[in-house]
Amino acid sequence: MPIRDTVVKIARRTFLIGGAALTDGLVVGYAVLREKPGTAGFEDSGEPGTALNAWVKITPDGDIILAVPRAEMGQGVYTSVAMLIAEELEVDLADIKVEHPDLDGKYFNRFAMRDQTPIDFAPALWIVERIGARIPMVVTGSSYTIRDAWATMPVAGAAAREMLIAAAAERWGISTDACIARAGHIINRTTQAKLSYGELATAAATFDVPANPPLKDPADYRLVGTPAPRVDVPDKVTGDAAFAIDIELPDMLYAAVRPCPMLGGRLESFNAASVEAMPGAVGVVKVDIGVAVVADSYWRARKAVNALDIEFTAADGAPLNSESIKQNYYQELDTPTELYTVHDDGNTTAALNTAAQTIEAVYEVPFLAHACMEPMTCTVRIDGNGDEARGEVWVGSQSPTMAASGVAAGADIERDNVTCHITYMGGGFGRRAEMDWIKQAAQIARTVQGRPVKLIWSREDDIVQDMYRPVAVARFKGGLDTAGQPVAWSNRIVSQPVTVSFLGRSMSGVPLTAEQDLTMTEGATELPYRLGKVLIEKVAMHLPINVGNWRSVGHSFNAFFKESFIDELAVAAQSDPYQYRRELLADAPKHRAVLDLVAERSDWDTPRDTNQGRGIALHESFGTIVAQVADVTVSADGSVRVDKVVCALDCGSVINPDTVEAQIESGIVFGLSAALYGEITIEDGRIKEQNFPQYDVVRLKGMPIIETHIVPSTASPGGIGEPGTPPIAAAVTNAIYDAVGVRVRRLPIKKVVV
Amino acid sequence: MISIIVNDREVTVDVEDDTPLLWVLRDTLGLTGTKFGCGIAACGACTVHVDGQAVRACVMPVAAVAGKQIKTIEGLEVDGPKEDRPGEDRPGENKPREDRQLHKVQQAWIDHQVPQCGYCQSGMIMAAVALLEKNPNPSDADIDQNMTNICRCGTYQRIRRAVHTAAKE
């Protein structure tokens, strides 16, 4: 039960950080110190400059516990990170337990961090990486990628293993060379005597942590690279896995909110008396963009807040509308207010003018919601007042640091006085990297001191208060020579800068301009193809609409734009879309290998039936190259069915191929939902689609067969959570063109007008 | 006061008649395996069985299921101790994992490594169990037609495979 889990976690944490750790067992803290960021604003915001990667803990009873301070939101990190440690520690995955350590600023400071605040786990690092990539001056030399786990987690395991070997050698009075670690034991090579890790842990803890323990040759890996079962799966089939919504604490209260339905609108007044007499109601609280009711059960809170007399006022000026926003985008496409040149080979216009053939196309994608299966949920308890006030939060957050900041901001307390407990997440996709709902929960909890309050957003609350994937519009111009080869490629993208929006609401100390924000053009500038003279421009839009990191961010639209336009060039060149791309990849052998693999495995050349089509797309993101071939059927009424998707990828070294396959399928389905149905519309200043199925997604009925093929590699790993998403929309629209000769340039596809 | 039978155990709850079964299970009885996803019966995260039928508990007033047999994800394990009150102990909760006997659908979900974030999977499993009780050997088309739950992680392909595996057991 959640209560018990919480208690156990706290107890373990205390054990982990207490001085007793050194006498009761072995704790290896492996820390990578990094340069502090180079700008005062960034540092002052309290965001991290140091990474704490992992802990290995072995109890005298022989329990091996790996602390993985990373967020598990479905991507399998509890397992893959544990595999990297277990490999070097010489233990089986079945014999270890994984813990998500609770975040506590003091804990980090005291334990290992030499007065620096830690970067606490991967998704936070991912954010910092994004910022870092965008403001090189802030984190020069401090970029942090998934490769970091690849490079550092094995060291944590190896360091612990060497300490255990040292303890055994001392016990036996032999040299460490005469000892070998196998399956949770140290073995005396000469006598074959064995000592378990549990027996050795206390003694091992007296040795220094080796800074450079010997590491295995990856060729000798026995666990990494195998399809190991995930450690979190058993609890996820019994209902035992505790998500934020499942937290139960003594004396808990529940809260439901009614956010202002008008974007940018404000709360005018409310009549608390209208609900105070309702059963179970405890209080009515004004929050940032609405009103919440606290009650003794969620349902009572929900009913009361729905019954509450509230007056909201619309934002000043004309109400926002998707149609007028789009018109604005198209105006800016032609006559930009804020134009930046991102890449310019020079003479692109001249090359276009002298080309044998020119092709022009404009593409468009809408706002999208994240729609995580678990709506935003957060439990907060605030105790005390003033400088002594303490906060505690239980939440599924991609960033405990942000969660602590959210509580601090909402309850007006010191960030260091906030303790975070991170739960499993019912989906993240970038949404749980925000702090807005956590702040809201803290605003509510501070009014009922000493009692935990669980805020649960309805699906409608979740969608209307989302940080959306922005609208994007792009115009391409391509010039071909007489042989159909590109001589010029011009691409102007109009969109909202995501990181500017994100930082503006969450880390206002971090300066970032639209020019520095690379999200608008990520995926548009890294072109593997030979395209002649290239010009990439962006036009920044500034709208009063929160935009956020949506699985693959700018790649989500730029892959669609770029891979659609390449397809249009192939058609103009009267060339096969696969062969055309292949020829243009003469300088990109890795990309070509992935493309060839997908063509081979999809039987690219086999004929299609009437109204069936096959489309191809290739895109690199997050260090992983992905190619997809989609087979579609277009019905007489214009509805589109995706029958099959074959995916090939080069993601470097693979830690867990089963997780790679699962994440690629996941990324494809996420992108397919957006391509086929995804659209958030603003009408008269309000979000129109507020729940499923208005905001529809792929279900079993629309699920294609997906095949995933991985290119063998010994290179450092690339990402896998996001790269499956970007190419799918273009693979599908290119297949639609192949089927019925209609070019879809605007998402979602909905129905094809044949 | 309303009496319902949850995982073979009769319980009486003191809630308003219109309280959805979902919140009675979760907040009153502490059976949090059943999830909230949309509140309008559109996503299936809250799927439980009422008299053997898969229903969406988020729109089912508790008064409408008075006296009926309700089964949740916590009641699927075949050897759950029936004397436990729901909300205090889950069937099999205190037993080591290896001693627990999972339902064949749960086991198939593990065998095929279906869950990712896992939030929708209680509802998916309950929908699959209900389908297999009606149709012991469903085709892909039967699965697609009968299981309309949403999974944002896109685990559908593995769900199909796991249902077929469970059907063979």
Side-chain angles (χ1 to χ4, degrees):
Chain A
M1 299 293 287
I3 295 171
R4 236 165 290 156
D5 282 356
T6 302
V7 171
V8 169
K9 273 181 191 159
I10 292 167
R12 283 177 182 163
R13 235 275 323 289
T14 308
F15 167 72
L16 183 68
I17 65 175
L22 286 181
T23 50
D24 288 357
L26 172 65
V27 181
V28 175
Y30 180 71
V32 177
L33 295 176
R34 293 174 182 282
E35 284 181 18
K36 282 194 167 189
T39 64
F42 189 64
E43 225 169 70
D44 292 347
S45 74
E47 286 310 309
T50 305
L52 190 61
N53 285 323
W55 296 264
V56 176
K57 181 168 63 177
I58 299 168
T59 69
D61 296 337
D63 287 343
I64 296 162
I65 299 159
L66 307 182
V68 179
R70 298 184 180 212
E72 180 59 80
M73 48 188 169
Q75 79 282 41
V77 290
Y78 278 13
T79 309
S80 53
V81 170
M83 285 170 78
L84 286 168
I85 303 170
E87 179 71 57
E88 290 288 353
L89 189 57
E90 298 291 356
V91 290
D92 288 337
L93 206 51
D95 295 332
I96 57 106
K97 293 176 189 162
V98 173
E99 263 180 26
H100 191 301
D102 299 332
L103 178 88
D104 178 327
K106 286 195 165 69
Y107 154 54
F108 283 111
N109 287 342
R110 200 167 76 206
F111 183 60
M113 283 301 102
R114 305 181 196 179
D115 299 321
Q116 295 193 54
T117 317
I119 289 180
D120 32 76
F121 72 106
L125 305 174
W126 165 78
I127 293 161
V128 171
E129 181 195 25
R130 288 181 159 269
I131 299 161
R134 278 144 194 78
I135 326 169
M137 62 189 174
V138 171
V139 281
T140 302
S142 185
S143 73
Y144 202 118
T145 70
I146 195 158
R147 289 189 181 116
D148 194 87
W150 174 251
T152 58
M153 293 300 169
V155 180
R161 182 197 64 218
E162 292 303 306
M163 293 161 78
L164 291 158
I165 286 177
E170 189 180 64
R171 178 94 51 101
W172 287 320
I174 60 176
S175 91
T176 54
D177 290 345
C179 301
I180 189 165
R182 282 286 178 275
H185 293 77
I186 305 297
I187 297 165
N188 182 326
R189 285 177 192 268
T190 316
T191 65
Q192 300 300 313
K194 273 169 130 183
L195 287 166
S196 75
Y197 286 2
E199 294 172 85
L200 291 167
T202 304
T206 63
F207 289 86
D208 287 340
V209 181
N212 294 300
L215 297 175
K216 284 184 175 177
D217 182 335
D220 297 331
Y221 282 171
R222 56 180 171 77
L223 176 60
V224 170
T226 65
R230 287 174 56 149
V231 299
D232 56 336
V233 158
D235 276 351
K236 289 179 175 178
V237 305
T238 58
D240 286 331
F243 297 84
I245 202 169
D246 303 327
I247 291 297
E248 292 169 36
L249 296 163
D251 280 338
M252 192 159 79
L253 293 167
Y254 299 79
V257 68
R258 242 168 85 196
C260 178
M262 285 87 81
L263 287 165
R266 61 183 182 275
L267 175 67
E268 203 62 42
S269 65
F270 62 93
N271 177 13
S274 64
V275 300
E276 273 167 356
M278 288 181 73
V282 171
V284 183
V285 186
K286 178 183 178 307
V287 294
D288 268 355
I289 56 166
V291 184
V293 170
V294 182
D296 63 357
S297 84
Y298 174 71
W299 182 246
R300 285 173 161 181
R302 172 55 58 195
K303 267 176 75 175
V305 83
N306 287 354
L308 191 62
D309 291 337
I310 309 180
E311 196 185 337
F312 290 111
T313 310
D316 297 334
L320 289 164
N321 277 294
S322 283
E323 275 315 306
S324 55
I325 289 169
K326 281 184 195 172
Q327 281 173 19
N328 194 0
Y329 265 69
Y330 281 96
Q331 278 168 13
E332 291 287 324
L333 185 65
D334 291 332
T335 52
T337 310
E338 194 177 330
L339 174 73
Y340 303 102
T341 300
V342 178
H343 178 98
D344 186 3
D345 287 335
N347 299 320
T348 306
T349 307
L352 280 169
N353 290 339
T354 56
Q357 189 184 174
T358 56
I359 297 94
E360 183 173 329
V362 176
Y363 305 92
E364 177 193 312
V365 298
F367 289 114
L368 293 173
H370 295 80
C372 302
M373 280 314 296
E374 180 189 21
M376 297 304 110
T377 297
C378 180
T379 299
V380 176
R381 185 177 59 219
I382 304 295
D383 293 287
N385 287 300
D387 293 346
E388 297 303 306
R390 293 203 54 88
E392 197 162 2
V393 57
W394 293 259
V395 66
S397 166
Q398 291 179 238
S399 168
T401 311
M402 294 281 282
S405 300
V407 174
D412 193 22
I413 63 176
E414 291 298 317
R415 213 184 71 132
D416 280 351
N417 289 347
V418 179
T419 303
C420 294
H421 309 280
I422 300 299
T423 63
Y424 281 125
M425 272 154 252
F429 316 122
R431 180 63 181 89
R432 287 188 217 274
E434 307 281 346
M435 64 157 88
D436 55 317
W437 83 104
I438 302 166
K439 182 181 174 196
Q440 202 175 74
Q443 287 178 329
I444 299 165
R446 72 183 300 192
T447 67
V448 278
Q449 285 263 333
R451 296 189 72 176
V453 181
K454 176 155 70 175
L455 169 68
I456 303 173
W457 278 5
S458 67
R459 174 59 55 195
E460 292 83 358
D461 298 338
D462 188 84
I463 293 188
V464 305
Q465 297 180 94
D466 204 352
M467 315 294 176
Y468 307 97
R469 199 284 304 274
V471 170
V473 170
R475 172 183 287 135
F476 285 77
K477 292 176 188 170
L480 304 182
D481 64 17
T482 51
Q485 294 299 297
V487 294
W489 172 279
S490 155
N491 174 11
R492 177 179 288 179
I493 301 149
V494 186
S495 192
Q496 272 183 270
V498 166
T499 310
V500 168
S501 182
F502 174 79
L503 292 178
R505 62 180 169 263
S506 358
M507 295 182 215
S508 51
V510 182
L512 188 81
T513 65
E515 183 174 14
Q516 293 167 319
D517 188 327
L518 301 191
T519 53
M520 295 166 65
T521 51
E522 65 184 350
T525 50
E526 314 90 51
L527 298 164
Y529 304 115
R530 278 186 182 169
L531 296 170
K533 300 290 185 191
V534 173
L535 173 66
I536 312 287
E537 299 169 313
K538 67 178 182 185
V539 180
M541 301 293 289
H542 298 282
L543 303 170
I545 296 165
N546 285 319
V547 291
N549 294 293
W550 185 96
R551 199 173 193 170
S552 83
V553 200
H555 292 282
S556 71
F557 48 82
N558 282 317
F560 168 63
F561 298 161
K562 174 196 65 146
E563 287 299 307
S564 294
F565 194 61
I566 275 282
D567 227 66
E568 299 211 39
L569 295 189
V571 170
Q574 297 181 305
S575 178
D576 173 84
Y578 157 54
Q579 292 296 341
Y580 191 74
R581 284 178 175 79
R582 189 175 194 286
E583 284 171 38
L584 299 182
L585 291 171
D587 305 323
K590 288 178 96 172
H591 294 76
R592 187 184 263 188
V594 174
L595 192 77
D596 285 345
L597 182 61
V598 83
E600 180 202 325
R601 298 302 172 95
S602 65
D603 296 324
W604 174 258
D605 288 324
T606 56
R608 293 67 135 167
D609 290 342
T610 311
N611 293 331
Q612 294 196 331
R614 188 167 295 149
I616 193 166
L618 170 77
H619 193 76
E620 178 179 357
S621 61
F622 310 95
T624 293
I625 303 165
V626 180
Q628 290 165 1
V629 168
D631 281 7
V632 306
T633 303
V634 182
S635 303
D637 69 353
S639 60
V640 175
R641 178 178 171 85
V642 180
D643 301 306
K644 186 176 180 183
V645 176
V646 178
C647 181
L649 73 153
D650 181 346
C651 60
S653 294
V654 171
I655 296 164
N656 187 332
D658 194 57
T659 301
V660 171
E661 184 186 88
Q663 281 295 285
I664 291 296
E665 285 176 20
S666 175
I668 289 171
V669 177
F670 204 79
L672 192 57
S673 289
L676 293 173
Y677 317 114
E679 182 167 29
I680 288 291
T681 314
I682 301 168
E683 271 185 11
D684 201 24
R686 297 163 189 251
I687 301 297
K688 183 179 162 196
E689 301 81 6
Q690 302 201 351
N691 204 328
F692 308 120
Q694 279 176 297
Y695 188 73
D696 210 2
V697 296
V698 169
R699 301 171 192 236
L700 272 155
K701 202 174 173 182
M703 177 68 186
I705 293 163
I706 299 179
E707 279 179 19
T708 303
H709 304 282
I710 303 171
V711 175
S713 170
T714 55
S716 297
I720 55 158
E722 299 179 85
T725 301
I728 188 61
V732 169
T733 54
N734 293 342
I736 291 168
Y737 182 83
D738 183 52
V740 294
V742 175
R743 180 63 64 182
V744 177
R745 299 193 181 92
R746 176 185 298 179
L747 298 183
I749 297 162
K750 290 181 182 167
K751 284 195 175 182
V752 178
V753 182
V754 182
Chain B
M1 302 287 263
I2 300 162
S3 287
I4 54 177
I5 303 159
V6 180
N7 299 335
D8 299 330
R9 171 96 196 162
E10 186 166 359
V11 289
T12 302
V13 292
D14 183 13
V15 296
E16 282 81 49
D17 285 1
D18 66 349
T19 310
L21 174 60
L22 170 66
W23 299 108
V24 174
L25 293 171
R26 290 184 53 84
D27 290 352
T28 312
L29 302 177
L31 294 170
T32 55
T34 307
K35 303 303 188 206
F36 167 64
C38 70
I40 59 165
C43 80
C46 63
T47 303
V48 298
H49 297 176
V50 175
D51 289 345
Q53 299 292 312
V55 303
R56 296 193 168 170
C58 70
V59 293
M60 179 64 68
V62 66
V65 295
K68 297 194 176 179
Q69 293 277 352
I70 294 150
K71 184 172 277 190
T72 72
I73 187 79
E74 292 88 349
L76 267 194
E77 287 174 48
V78 292
D79 64 342
K82 303 293 184 280
E83 66 277 13
D84 287 339
R85 255 187 58 198
E88 289 197 346
D89 284 294
R90 296 180 194 191
E93 184 191 11
N94 296 318
K95 287 197 273 180
R97 172 83 55 201
E98 53 268 28
D99 296 342
R100 292 166 66 164
Q101 199 178 348
L102 298 177
H103 188 280
K104 65 180 182 178
V105 171
Q106 292 172 308
Q107 188 57 52
W109 248 242
I110 291 177
D111 293 345
H112 288 274
Q113 293 283 295
V114 173
Q116 291 187 23
C117 89
Y119 192 78
C120 73
Q121 298 298 348
S122 296
M124 285 286 185
I125 288 168
M126 296 309 285
V129 170
L131 169 63
L132 288 170
E133 281 169 9
K134 277 192 300 190
N135 179 352
N137 190 21
S139 65
D140 276 347
D142 295 333
I143 295 169
D144 293 358
Q145 203 63 43
N146 284 280
M147 291 179 63
T148 55
N149 301 26
I150 293 174
C151 170
R152 284 292 274 156
C153 299
T155 61
Y156 302 117
Q157 179 155 285
R158 292 184 179 205
I159 287 171
R160 280 192 196 130
R161 290 178 188 153
V163 172
H164 288 309
T165 296
K168 289 190 196 108
E169 288 298 311

